[in-house]
Amino acid sequence: MKKINLAIFLSGTGTNFLSLSKACLDPDYPADIKLVISDRECIGYKLSKKLKYKTILIKHLNNAFDFEKKATHLLKKNHVDLICLAGFMKILSPEFVNNWKNKILNIHPSILPLFPGLGTHKKAIASGMKIHGSTVHVVDENLDSGPIIGQCAINIKSKDNKKQIEERLKKYENILYVKSLEKYIKTFHNVENKNSLKKVEKEYNKVIFSI
Ligand code: GRF
């Protein structure tokens, strides 16, 4: 099976990256990680180096465009087909997103369209909701928006604090990213297919698994 080339962008602890990297070891999984880009020397960055991925640190640049210029060069040089944002804290410009239209996925720790942006666990607790979750979606020009590929949900227990919820959710979202990416590649990812976004939109409400 032909695997597609992935780049991972990260800024944090790298649990989603690790989960994707384990999945990619399976010959039947449709992707391989070719490049890991980090904007800081975070745990995920160190982990990627330890696992011997091509790991690039792009930091201390004057503006977002310098980051994107450097990243674009690396993505092309490494023949990357698809970018997975995995806890990446920089907001990408509309120009960059448009240049990689339908080729950037993100994982966001809420059941979108609820709670875009930061502080999602606190927001979910404060809202009084009994469930919380994560979403994998195609990235568009707006923050935490774009067609949804998969979602997972956990229950919020009455005594749960932010840290407990975050830890519990991570275990599920790590699986969610692997499953959603596989689904996206097998079903929709076709660089030549202009209708791919439409097809994703049709599946907008399909939950690939829930708890
Ligand atoms: C995850 O909660 C993800 O949903 C969010 O950032 C966090 C990254 O965690 N976008 P990790 O670095 O993959 O452990």
Side-chain angles (χ1 to χ4, degrees):
M1 185 201 30
K2 188 180 173 321
K3 289 184 173 233
I4 69 148
N5 296 336
L6 277 191
I8 309 286
F9 284 19
L10 52 75
S11 314
T13 52
T15 63
N16 283 291
F17 153 63
L18 185 61
S19 182
L20 288 169
S21 80
K22 283 181 184 160
C24 288
L25 295 177
D26 181 341
D28 290 331
Y29 195 76
D32 252 343
I33 297 174
K34 292 291 174 196
L35 178 66
V36 176
I37 295 180
S38 179
D39 63 344
R40 59 198 78 181
E41 282 160 90
C42 55
I43 297 173
Y45 168 77
K46 288 175 191 153
L47 180 67
S48 172
K49 283 186 80 160
K50 199 172 154 198
L51 294 174
K52 307 242 179 300
Y53 286 102
K54 188 178 279 186
T55 310
I56 313 285
L57 183 65
I58 312 180
K59 66 169 187 176
H60 295 320
L61 296 178
N62 294 332
N63 56 53
F65 297 106
D66 286 348
F67 173 92
E68 291 175 3
K69 212 168 141 191
K70 207 161 175 191
T72 302
H73 171 74
L74 289 163
L75 293 166
K76 289 192 175 154
K77 197 171 142 199
N78 289 282
H79 307 288
V80 167
D81 302 304
L82 198 66
I83 302 165
C84 286
L85 308 182
F88 185 61
M89 295 307 285
K90 261 191 195 325
I91 295 176
L92 297 166
S93 73
E95 289 76 16
F96 185 89
V97 171
N98 263 321
N99 287 338
W100 292 88
K101 199 172 169 62
N102 297 340
K103 294 179 193 165
I104 310 175
L105 305 186
N106 182 40
I107 183 155
H108 179 75
S110 82
I111 301 175
L112 289 173
L114 284 178
F115 314 134
L118 297 173
T120 58
H121 308 308
K122 271 191 178 164
K123 286 177 191 167
I125 294 168
S127 74
M129 283 190 65
K130 298 292 174 210
I131 58 164
H132 180 41
S134 284
T135 303
V136 172
H137 64 96
V138 181
V139 172
D140 69 13
E141 309 80 34
N142 301 309
L143 183 67
D144 300 323
S145 87
I148 290 171
I149 302 164
Q151 294 186 306
C152 67
I154 59 167
N155 59 330
I156 299 177
K157 298 172 191 164
S158 55
K159 285 186 185 142
D160 269 344
N161 60 34
K162 177 195 159 276
K163 197 165 176 284
Q164 287 163 324
I165 288 195
E166 183 175 6
E167 273 171 14
R168 203 157 74 246
L169 184 59
K170 277 255 177 119
K171 293 195 183 106
Y172 292 102
E173 68 170 17
N174 292 165
I175 303 165
L176 176 72
Y177 216 166
V178 168
K179 286 179 176 253
S180 299
L181 174 65
E182 182 175 28
K183 175 185 161 185
Y184 187 67
I185 295 169
K186 287 188 174 165
T187 320
F188 308 116
H189 181 74
N190 177 351
V191 282
E192 306 304 330
N193 184 357
K194 293 197 187 81
N195 290 324
S196 63
L197 184 61
K198 276 210 175 93
K199 286 186 191 166
V200 178
E201 279 166 350
K202 266 193 192 166
E203 301 276 318
Y204 194 81
N205 286 319
K206 203 166 176 180
V207 177
I208 65 161
F209 80 103
S210 60
I211 296 120

